[in-house]
Amino acid sequence: MNEIKVTLPDGSQRPLPAGSSIFDLAASIGAGLAKAAIAGKIDGNLVDLNTKLTDGARVEIITEKSPEALEIIRHSTSHLMAQAVKALFPQAKVTIGPAIETGFYYDFDVDHPFTPEDLEKIEAKMRELAKSDLKIERSELSSAEAIELFRKMGEDYKVELIEDLGADKVSLYTQGDFADLCRGPHLPKTSYCKAFKLTSIAGAYWRGDEKRAMLQRVYGTAFADKKELDAYLERIEEAKKRDHRKLGKELDLFSFNDEVGAGLVIWHPKGAMLRTILEDFERKEHLKRGYDIVLGPQILKTELWQRSGHYENYRENMYFTTVDEQGYGVKPMNCLAHMMIYRSQLRSYRDLPLRYFELGTVHRHERAGVLHGLLRVRGFTQDDAHILCTPDQLDAEIKGVIQFVTEVMGIFGFEFEMELSTRPEKSIGSDDAWELATSALLNALKDSGRPYEINEGDGAFYGPKIDIKLRDALDRRWQCATIQCDFTLPERFDLTYVDADGEKKRPVMVHRVILGAIERFIGVLIEHFAGNFPTWLAPVQATVLTVTDNQIPYAQAAFDKLRAAGVRVQKDFRNEKLGFKIREAQLQKIPYMLVVGDKEVEGGLLAPRFRDGKNLDAMTPEQFIAFIENEVKTYK
Ligand SMILES: [Zn+2]
Ligand SMILES: [Zn+2]
């Protein structure tokens, strides 16, 4: 056969000379496509660009713009890095080098830890190797041959990998004098690695096992072009500037203290104010939507945690204490007290749904290594609610929660994405119950009109859930809200209601949080706004600044008026230059500076200036109060 026919994604067929590769196909369609092509898909499987096509194949050309491209580019760049390391440090042993969400890494076994200077040298070598435009070629060989080859090269880790793989055949990718065990696919030539940067070095154990060798992990990132790389690096710089731990200190919001304990937040006046604003907001929003505010104790008897299953499944993360020979567990979750409230009366179907809301402070013993500022702590407060309803009501309840999330995230200016996790292999609850809960979650997702993903089999053993990930100003994802159906707790605590037919039935239980942990949410907010909180959230909304001492009596009277009206106001009457006072207020990211000079005293006015330097028209204190009240009301 001199000619083959392949099928393109749009269903069209294309004849090609026998022996043509995916690259040849791209070239036959157009020079632009040939230039943009980096790999391909045959019958749905990713393959190298120079893979030969067979008659009848379904082919897709992967270009730099394809969703699959980034991983191929990054993984290929990790090979390029390994090649550069081997060229500079021939005694280094290579291990693995996957693409990750932020770029790629490669782990090396070396005698001496890499230094930042080494990183520069490696990057320079990578550029040189990229420039020399080496072909990246795939070959297949038997596992036995591959083991012998890598053993000869002294690459013991590769030998171990091949042995563990236990396959008959493995594939090898070779570029210049460097060969690596790999499934592929890869870019066709080293020159296709156009935009990369090595970012950091860390220690990592071989296979994450602390009994095995300590390796050097070099992190880097790569993109299809320089523009995207630069934009990413800029975002990283910006993220560093916005780091909530740094801003938390500069704005005097919170601290951690070794004398107190790791992962335990100490809220300073401005941080506690910010928290209070959020908590007040939450109470109002929940009451508006028919939730009841409840409050449970911090410690509950150990026997209760045994009944709930927490003792059996979650004990390592809990704190316990014994008083008068009675054991207590500090609550890691708020559910139990809420169930006690439910059980305190005989419930009829007419009482349902019940929605119990608590700003519930919980403690969980997270490993020291995972603690991270406000984002991962050991003591935190959730905006936690439990909905108890009849099966018929579940649909509307879940829709209500998603609507709630949508409205609240809109106020903060977050976009979000949703994921549904369905029944895992090991689970409790009847097929009917799973079907009911899963379809309620799915209906609500469809109804929301937003895109969502389904993680098959990823739900908890006790019920399906929706995870909601919000997207911040730097396009980072943060897990905050969750909606979790639960079949165990109503069972374990024998929760019932009397239905219309007089029968006792089990209510459905939903655990849900909207912002999640307030601590974590504040961490996200700080970074999202870079500390420039909108007026309604700003712990200090305005500061009164005098030009000279002459204005102090008038300025003090204005300050008193504002504070009495509920404006969160501060004053700076120090005998300092106005420019200095303004700069300090700007560093504190206070939205409004109210300047008082002789002219303002004469006219009974304040001269507001926004933190970005923009001046507003002078206004009376009363007008400014109304202005702030309006901003707060409209969440500006
Ligand atoms: Zn590879
Ligand atoms: Zn719960």
mmCIF file of all heavy atoms in Angstrom, residues 219-239:
data_model
loop_
_atom_site.group_PDB
_atom_site.id
_atom_site.type_symbol
_atom_site.label_atom_id
_atom_site.label_comp_id
_atom_site.label_asym_id
_atom_site.label_seq_id
_atom_site.Cartn_x
_atom_site.Cartn_y
_atom_site.Cartn_z
ATOM 1 N N TYR A 219 13.460 22.191 41.318
ATOM 2 C CA TYR A 219 12.178 22.600 40.751
ATOM 3 C C TYR A 219 12.407 23.619 39.641
ATOM 4 O O TYR A 219 13.305 24.460 39.728
ATOM 5 C CB TYR A 219 11.319 23.285 41.809
ATOM 6 C CG TYR A 219 10.697 22.369 42.814
ATOM 7 C CD1 TYR A 219 11.255 22.213 44.078
ATOM 8 C CD2 TYR A 219 9.529 21.672 42.514
ATOM 9 C CE1 TYR A 219 10.675 21.388 45.027
ATOM 10 C CE2 TYR A 219 8.938 20.843 43.464
ATOM 11 C CZ TYR A 219 9.507 20.704 44.714
ATOM 12 O OH TYR A 219 8.935 19.889 45.641
ATOM 13 N N GLY A 220 11.571 23.526 38.637
ATOM 14 C CA GLY A 220 11.603 24.538 37.589
ATOM 15 C C GLY A 220 10.229 24.681 36.999
ATOM 16 O O GLY A 220 9.294 23.964 37.374
ATOM 17 N N THR A 221 10.103 25.608 36.088
ATOM 18 C CA THR A 221 8.832 25.723 35.385
ATOM 19 C C THR A 221 9.098 25.972 33.916
ATOM 20 O O THR A 221 10.194 26.407 33.549
ATOM 21 C CB THR A 221 7.934 26.820 35.997
ATOM 22 O OG1 THR A 221 6.607 26.639 35.497
ATOM 23 C CG2 THR A 221 8.428 28.214 35.664
ATOM 24 N N ALA A 222 8.124 25.646 33.085
ATOM 25 C CA ALA A 222 8.290 25.826 31.647
ATOM 26 C C ALA A 222 6.943 26.118 31.024
ATOM 27 O O ALA A 222 5.909 25.668 31.522
ATOM 28 C CB ALA A 222 8.886 24.568 31.033
ATOM 29 N N PHE A 223 6.984 26.890 29.962
ATOM 30 C CA PHE A 223 5.772 27.248 29.224
ATOM 31 C C PHE A 223 6.039 27.155 27.736
ATOM 32 O O PHE A 223 7.182 26.979 27.310
ATOM 33 C CB PHE A 223 5.330 28.668 29.593
ATOM 34 C CG PHE A 223 4.739 28.741 30.974
ATOM 35 C CD1 PHE A 223 5.551 28.940 32.083
ATOM 36 C CD2 PHE A 223 3.377 28.577 31.168
ATOM 37 C CE1 PHE A 223 5.019 28.980 33.353
ATOM 38 C CE2 PHE A 223 2.831 28.614 32.440
ATOM 39 C CZ PHE A 223 3.646 28.822 33.534
ATOM 40 N N ALA A 224 4.966 27.301 26.953
ATOM 41 C CA ALA A 224 5.112 27.211 25.506
ATOM 42 C C ALA A 224 5.900 28.393 24.960
ATOM 43 O O ALA A 224 6.641 28.258 23.994
ATOM 44 C CB ALA A 224 3.743 27.139 24.847
ATOM 45 N N ASP A 225 5.749 29.552 25.565
ATOM 46 C CA ASP A 225 6.534 30.687 25.090
ATOM 47 C C ASP A 225 6.955 31.603 26.233
ATOM 48 O O ASP A 225 6.466 31.489 27.357
ATOM 49 C CB ASP A 225 5.800 31.468 23.990
ATOM 50 C CG ASP A 225 4.496 32.044 24.494
ATOM 51 O OD1 ASP A 225 4.482 32.584 25.620
ATOM 52 O OD2 ASP A 225 3.481 31.947 23.780
ATOM 53 N N LYS A 226 7.859 32.511 25.879
ATOM 54 C CA LYS A 226 8.483 33.382 26.868
ATOM 55 C C LYS A 226 7.454 34.297 27.546
ATOM 56 O O LYS A 226 7.566 34.604 28.728
ATOM 57 C CB LYS A 226 9.569 34.205 26.136
ATOM 58 C CG LYS A 226 10.366 35.148 26.957
ATOM 59 C CD LYS A 226 11.776 34.612 27.198
ATOM 60 C CE LYS A 226 12.679 35.587 27.930
ATOM 61 N NZ LYS A 226 12.073 36.498 28.864
ATOM 62 N N LYS A 227 6.461 34.718 26.760
ATOM 63 C CA LYS A 227 5.466 35.642 27.304
ATOM 64 C C LYS A 227 4.703 34.999 28.464
ATOM 65 O O LYS A 227 4.494 35.618 29.512
ATOM 66 C CB LYS A 227 4.478 36.047 26.190
ATOM 67 C CG LYS A 227 4.119 37.523 26.221
ATOM 68 C CD LYS A 227 3.347 37.932 24.990
ATOM 69 C CE LYS A 227 1.850 37.846 25.257
ATOM 70 N NZ LYS A 227 1.038 37.841 24.036
ATOM 71 N N GLU A 228 4.307 33.748 28.257
ATOM 72 C CA GLU A 228 3.576 33.039 29.309
ATOM 73 C C GLU A 228 4.464 32.798 30.527
ATOM 74 O O GLU A 228 4.016 32.900 31.664
ATOM 75 C CB GLU A 228 3.065 31.690 28.799
ATOM 76 C CG GLU A 228 1.810 31.778 27.960
ATOM 77 C CD GLU A 228 1.442 30.423 27.390
ATOM 78 O OE1 GLU A 228 1.267 29.464 28.165
ATOM 79 O OE2 GLU A 228 1.356 30.316 26.151
ATOM 80 N N LEU A 229 5.735 32.477 30.254
ATOM 81 C CA LEU A 229 6.679 32.245 31.356
ATOM 82 C C LEU A 229 6.844 33.515 32.185
ATOM 83 O O LEU A 229 6.770 33.490 33.412
ATOM 84 C CB LEU A 229 8.037 31.792 30.812
ATOM 85 C CG LEU A 229 9.153 31.668 31.855
ATOM 86 C CD1 LEU A 229 8.868 30.518 32.820
ATOM 87 C CD2 LEU A 229 10.517 31.463 31.201
ATOM 88 N N ASP A 230 7.038 34.630 31.478
ATOM 89 C CA ASP A 230 7.225 35.903 32.188
ATOM 90 C C ASP A 230 5.998 36.266 33.017
ATOM 91 O O ASP A 230 6.115 36.728 34.148
ATOM 92 C CB ASP A 230 7.542 37.033 31.195
ATOM 93 C CG ASP A 230 8.952 36.880 30.620
ATOM 94 O OD1 ASP A 230 9.726 36.079 31.195
ATOM 95 O OD2 ASP A 230 9.264 37.527 29.617
ATOM 96 N N ALA A 231 4.820 36.034 32.434
ATOM 97 C CA ALA A 231 3.584 36.349 33.161
ATOM 98 C C ALA A 231 3.494 35.496 34.423
ATOM 99 O O ALA A 231 3.110 35.976 35.488
ATOM 100 C CB ALA A 231 2.370 36.107 32.269
ATOM 101 N N TYR A 232 3.898 34.225 34.292
ATOM 102 C CA TYR A 232 3.865 33.329 35.456
ATOM 103 C C TYR A 232 4.848 33.798 36.525
ATOM 104 O O TYR A 232 4.508 33.879 37.706
ATOM 105 C CB TYR A 232 4.197 31.898 35.024
ATOM 106 C CG TYR A 232 4.381 30.963 36.198
ATOM 107 C CD1 TYR A 232 3.282 30.437 36.869
ATOM 108 C CD2 TYR A 232 5.656 30.630 36.656
ATOM 109 C CE1 TYR A 232 3.444 29.605 37.960
ATOM 110 C CE2 TYR A 232 5.831 29.796 37.754
ATOM 111 C CZ TYR A 232 4.724 29.283 38.399
ATOM 112 O OH TYR A 232 4.890 28.473 39.486
ATOM 113 N N LEU A 233 6.078 34.127 36.103
ATOM 114 C CA LEU A 233 7.096 34.552 37.076
ATOM 115 C C LEU A 233 6.665 35.838 37.773
ATOM 116 O O LEU A 233 6.908 36.025 38.964
ATOM 117 C CB LEU A 233 8.452 34.726 36.394
ATOM 118 C CG LEU A 233 9.061 33.427 35.849
ATOM 119 C CD1 LEU A 233 10.334 33.720 35.062
ATOM 120 C CD2 LEU A 233 9.338 32.421 36.965
ATOM 121 N N GLU A 234 6.006 36.706 37.020
ATOM 122 C CA GLU A 234 5.495 37.945 37.605
ATOM 123 C C GLU A 234 4.440 37.643 38.668
ATOM 124 O O GLU A 234 4.407 38.273 39.723
ATOM 125 C CB GLU A 234 4.859 38.780 36.491
ATOM 126 C CG GLU A 234 5.174 40.266 36.575
ATOM 127 C CD GLU A 234 4.762 40.945 35.294
ATOM 128 O OE1 GLU A 234 3.595 41.374 35.213
ATOM 129 O OE2 GLU A 234 5.593 40.998 34.356
ATOM 130 N N ARG A 235 3.579 36.655 38.338
ATOM 131 C CA ARG A 235 2.538 36.263 39.297
ATOM 132 C C ARG A 235 3.159 35.719 40.580
ATOM 133 O O ARG A 235 2.681 35.967 41.674
ATOM 134 C CB ARG A 235 1.624 35.213 38.674
ATOM 135 C CG ARG A 235 0.342 35.793 38.193
ATOM 136 C CD ARG A 235 -0.813 34.821 37.992
ATOM 137 N NE ARG A 235 -0.540 33.455 37.684
ATOM 138 C CZ ARG A 235 -0.436 32.958 36.451
ATOM 139 N NH1 ARG A 235 -0.520 33.752 35.403
ATOM 140 N NH2 ARG A 235 -0.243 31.680 36.266
ATOM 141 N N ILE A 236 4.248 34.975 40.436
ATOM 142 C CA ILE A 236 4.933 34.410 41.607
ATOM 143 C C ILE A 236 5.480 35.552 42.474
ATOM 144 O O ILE A 236 5.356 35.538 43.701
ATOM 145 C CB ILE A 236 6.100 33.494 41.156
ATOM 146 C CG1 ILE A 236 5.562 32.295 40.407
ATOM 147 C CG2 ILE A 236 6.958 33.076 42.340
ATOM 148 C CD1 ILE A 236 4.817 31.316 41.265
ATOM 149 N N GLU A 237 6.092 36.537 41.798
ATOM 150 C CA GLU A 237 6.621 37.704 42.520
ATOM 151 C C GLU A 237 5.497 38.407 43.273
ATOM 152 O O GLU A 237 5.627 38.778 44.428
ATOM 153 C CB GLU A 237 7.270 38.685 41.530
ATOM 154 C CG GLU A 237 8.756 38.515 41.339
ATOM 155 C CD GLU A 237 9.515 38.184 42.619
ATOM 156 O OE1 GLU A 237 9.540 39.043 43.522
ATOM 157 O OE2 GLU A 237 10.070 37.074 42.721
ATOM 158 N N GLU A 238 4.377 38.592 42.560
ATOM 159 C CA GLU A 238 3.225 39.267 43.147
ATOM 160 C C GLU A 238 2.690 38.460 44.337
ATOM 161 O O GLU A 238 2.341 39.020 45.368
ATOM 162 C CB GLU A 238 2.143 39.451 42.069
ATOM 163 C CG GLU A 238 0.910 40.224 42.502
ATOM 164 C CD GLU A 238 1.209 41.638 42.994
ATOM 165 O OE1 GLU A 238 2.183 42.245 42.525
ATOM 166 O OE2 GLU A 238 0.455 42.110 43.887
ATOM 167 N N ALA A 239 2.671 37.135 44.184
ATOM 168 C CA ALA A 239 2.188 36.277 45.272
ATOM 169 C C ALA A 239 3.081 36.432 46.502
ATOM 170 O O ALA A 239 2.597 36.431 47.627
ATOM 171 C CB ALA A 239 2.141 34.820 44.820
#
